[in-house]
Amino acid sequence: MPLLRFLAARRRARRVAALTLDGARGRAWRGAALLDEQDPGWAGRVDPGALALGDGQACVLGQLHGDYRRGLGRARVIDLSSAPGRFVSPVDLGFQAVGGLGGAAEALDYALLTRAWREAVAERRPTEAALRKPPTARAGRNAAAAAR
C-alpha cells in the first residue's frame, strides 16, 4: 500500500507543477476560440475587472449566461441533447480548474485562469483609442459622395 500512496502523491505533485500561467493561457485561448466561433463579440460583454473564474456568476460563462452551469450548455461545451453526446472538457477549455489537487492548487489554477482570461478578453476588445479614432479621409469622401 505505501507504494500506491507514493505513486498517487507523485502524480499529484506532477499535476500541481503543471499549473503554470502559460498552461492557463493555452487553455483559455482554446475556450476563447470556441466562444469566438459560437458567439462573436462575446468579449465585449465580459467585464474583465469583475472576472473571477472561481465564481459561477463572475466567470466568463457566468457573465455571458448568468451562471456557469447554464453557460456550459449554452456555449455547447456540454451538449446532452445530441447522440452520441458531445463533451468537451471545461478544464481543457479554461472554464474550470483542474480538480482533485486540493484547495491551494485549485485556488492557484483559478488565479492563473482569471489572469489568462483577462488577457484573452483584452486581446479581443477594441481599444479606447481605436473607438475614438476619426474616420479616415477616404471614409469621409465616401460619406460625402453618398450624401450627394
Side-chain angles (χ1 to χ4, degrees):
M1 217 37 147
L3 177 61
L4 292 178
R5 275 187 245 147
F6 168 78
L7 292 174
R10 185 174 165 190
R11 180 174 182 255
R12 182 183 178 282
R14 278 196 311 260
R15 290 178 68 202
V16 169
L19 301 178
T20 64
L21 182 55
D22 284 340
R25 283 178 176 141
R27 290 162 52 204
W29 182 86
R30 286 189 294 275
L34 174 84
L35 293 177
D36 289 342
E37 179 183 307
Q38 294 183 352
D39 187 6
W42 65 270
R45 299 190 319 272
V46 172
D47 178 0
L51 195 61
L53 266 287
D55 180 332
Q57 272 68 50
C59 66
V60 174
L61 295 176
Q63 287 191 37
L64 293 174
H65 302 288
D67 176 72
Y68 169 74
R69 292 186 189 277
R70 185 178 310 125
L72 287 174
R74 288 186 179 168
R76 300 177 129 193
V77 174
I78 297 175
D79 186 356
L80 301 176
S81 65
S82 64
R86 177 175 177 248
F87 178 80
V88 181
S89 169
V91 173
D92 291 341
L93 296 173
F95 294 122
Q96 183 177 327
V98 174
L101 299 180
E106 184 175 302
L108 170 64
D109 198 20
Y110 275 127
L112 294 171
L113 286 170
T114 296
R115 181 173 171 186
W117 274 103
R118 284 183 178 147
E119 292 171 3
V121 169
E123 287 177 9
R124 286 162 171 80
R125 293 178 81 155
T127 64
E128 288 185 34
L131 292 174
R132 289 186 302 227
K133 188 176 181 179
T136 63
R138 182 171 194 180
R141 282 195 302 263
N142 290 342
R148 290 184 210 168

